[in-house]
Amino acid sequence: MKTIGLIAGNRKFPLLFAEGARRHGYKVIAVGIRRDTLALLEKKVDKFFWVHLSELDRLISIFKEEGVKEIAMAGQVSPARLFSREVIRSPQLQELLKQVKDKRADSIFGALADKLKAAGFNLVDSTLFLKEYMPGVGVLTKRQPTDTEWEDIHFGFNIAKELGRLDIGQSVAVKEKAVVAVEALEGTDNLIRRAGALSRGKVVVVKVSKPKQDKRFDIPVIGLNTIKNLIRAKAVCLGIEAGQTLFIDQVKALALADKCGLAIAAVKNP
């Protein structure tokens, strides 16, 4: 049986990866980050270990002891922890951060990937076993976007791509071709909440991959919570990039979107 290591962040992405890997005949050795990883993951893998965010060397030791050669990273670590005391007081993490030119996501994850490679590991595509969760081109809901919403999707798509190129964020909220809010460190859910308050509803949110997306980490993800937040914000439409966005809890999410009249479309670069 092949073995794969999993560095698990928050929410359901790591659960889906573990399930997919085991369906494909892999033994999964997972390391969970305390205060971020769901405890449910322990039941989805063959071996599970908890580490603190600051215990990078211990994480590497665990995988070496378990004979792991390939590792996947799935799920985020809460971005706010970048400025936490545990990071500031950790010599290991401070040494890692000194190696990067800035603290953008690609810079930090790239430095971590380099450290894992130097330790003898290969970091693999986090979507390796999850292609069925990445919708192709088409409208996913019963309601089609209106002509105005389509215009906002295409307008927002190009703006979001530029944000991704700069590694600032991957989502933008627009209304009648006005940029209402852009995503930065706070994440998509907070972007949606802020956009709803600013726009007083009828906003369109667009989420895309980066132009040079490294699928080993930080891919676009939406799910049931995304749809709930869009509805609370009185958004009218969500546009995602086809074939590049992981859509978790699709059945429940689409049922809720249909019930509330929210349109969701997966599109390619217009």
Side-chain angles (χ1 to χ4, degrees):
M1 181 180 287
K2 297 179 182 178
T3 301
I4 194 164
L6 173 60
I7 301 174
N10 58 23
R11 302 193 181 183
K12 291 187 177 181
F13 187 2
L15 304 181
L16 293 179
F17 183 91
E19 290 171 353
R22 295 182 82 181
R23 281 199 306 271
H24 283 79
Y26 282 79
K27 178 182 178 181
V28 181
I29 309 298
V31 173
I33 310 299
R34 291 194 183 277
R35 291 175 48 206
D36 265 302
T37 307
L38 292 173
L40 179 60
L41 183 62
E42 293 187 58
K43 299 178 181 179
K44 302 284 186 179
V45 299
D46 297 278
K47 278 193 177 183
F48 184 89
F49 301 86
W50 283 109
V51 299
H52 291 283
L53 182 59
S54 59
E55 295 181 307
L56 184 56
D57 287 347
R58 180 166 174 255
L59 178 149
I60 289 172
S61 295
I62 288 169
F63 286 134
K64 283 187 174 182
E65 289 169 7
E66 294 296 328
V68 171
K69 297 296 183 182
E70 294 186 321
I71 297 174
M73 294 172 59
Q76 283 190 332
V77 172
S78 178
R81 296 181 73 178
L82 180 63
F83 304 106
S84 66
R85 289 181 180 179
E86 64 183 327
V87 171
I88 294 171
R89 294 175 178 176
S90 168
Q92 293 177 38
L93 292 180
Q94 288 303 309
E95 183 62 31
L96 180 72
L97 292 173
K98 283 180 183 177
Q99 298 171 23
V100 299
K101 59 183 179 180
D102 52 53
K103 292 184 176 65
R104 293 182 295 179
D106 279 358
S107 301
I108 294 171
F109 286 129
L112 177 56
D114 289 343
K115 187 173 182 66
L116 291 172
K117 184 177 180 180
F121 302 109
N122 177 38
L123 195 59
V124 302
D125 182 345
S126 61
T127 69
L128 185 61
F129 308 113
L130 302 173
K131 303 304 181 184
E132 69 269 29
Y133 291 94
M134 306 176 79
V137 174
V139 177
L140 307 180
T141 48
K142 293 178 181 177
R143 185 176 80 78
Q144 298 274 332
T146 65
D147 289 344
T148 300
E149 290 163 7
W150 275 121
E151 290 176 3
D152 277 349
I153 288 172
H154 294 147
F155 172 73
F157 195 104
N158 292 324
I159 301 293
K161 277 291 182 183
E162 187 63 14
L163 289 173
R165 184 186 70 79
L166 296 169
D167 196 19
I168 295 172
Q170 294 171 277
S171 304
V172 63
V174 299
K175 183 176 180 179
E176 298 174 4
K177 294 184 179 177
V179 177
V180 176
V182 297
E183 178 188 20
L185 194 64
E186 81 273 35
T188 305
D189 287 343
N190 285 317
L191 160 77
I192 293 169
R193 296 184 189 105
R194 186 158 48 88
L198 289 167
S199 68
R200 298 185 179 181
K202 296 189 176 180
V203 70
V204 173
V205 174
V206 182
K207 189 175 184 73
V208 303
S209 67
K210 298 171 186 175
K212 294 182 179 179
Q213 185 76 54
D214 190 332
K215 289 186 178 179
R216 296 177 302 170
F217 44 74
D218 198 29
I219 67 164
V221 181
I222 64 168
L224 184 58
N225 282 337
T226 314
I227 306 309
K228 288 179 178 178
N229 283 315
L230 287 164
I231 292 166
R232 291 188 192 106
K234 298 181 180 178
V236 290
C237 187
L238 170 65
I240 61 173
E241 185 170 2
Q244 301 294 323
T245 308
L246 189 66
F247 194 166
I248 296 172
D249 291 327
Q250 285 187 46
V251 175
K252 290 181 179 179
L254 292 176
L256 180 59
D258 285 336
K259 180 181 177 180
C260 297
L262 179 75
I264 304 176
V267 299
K268 284 290 188 184
N269 202 334

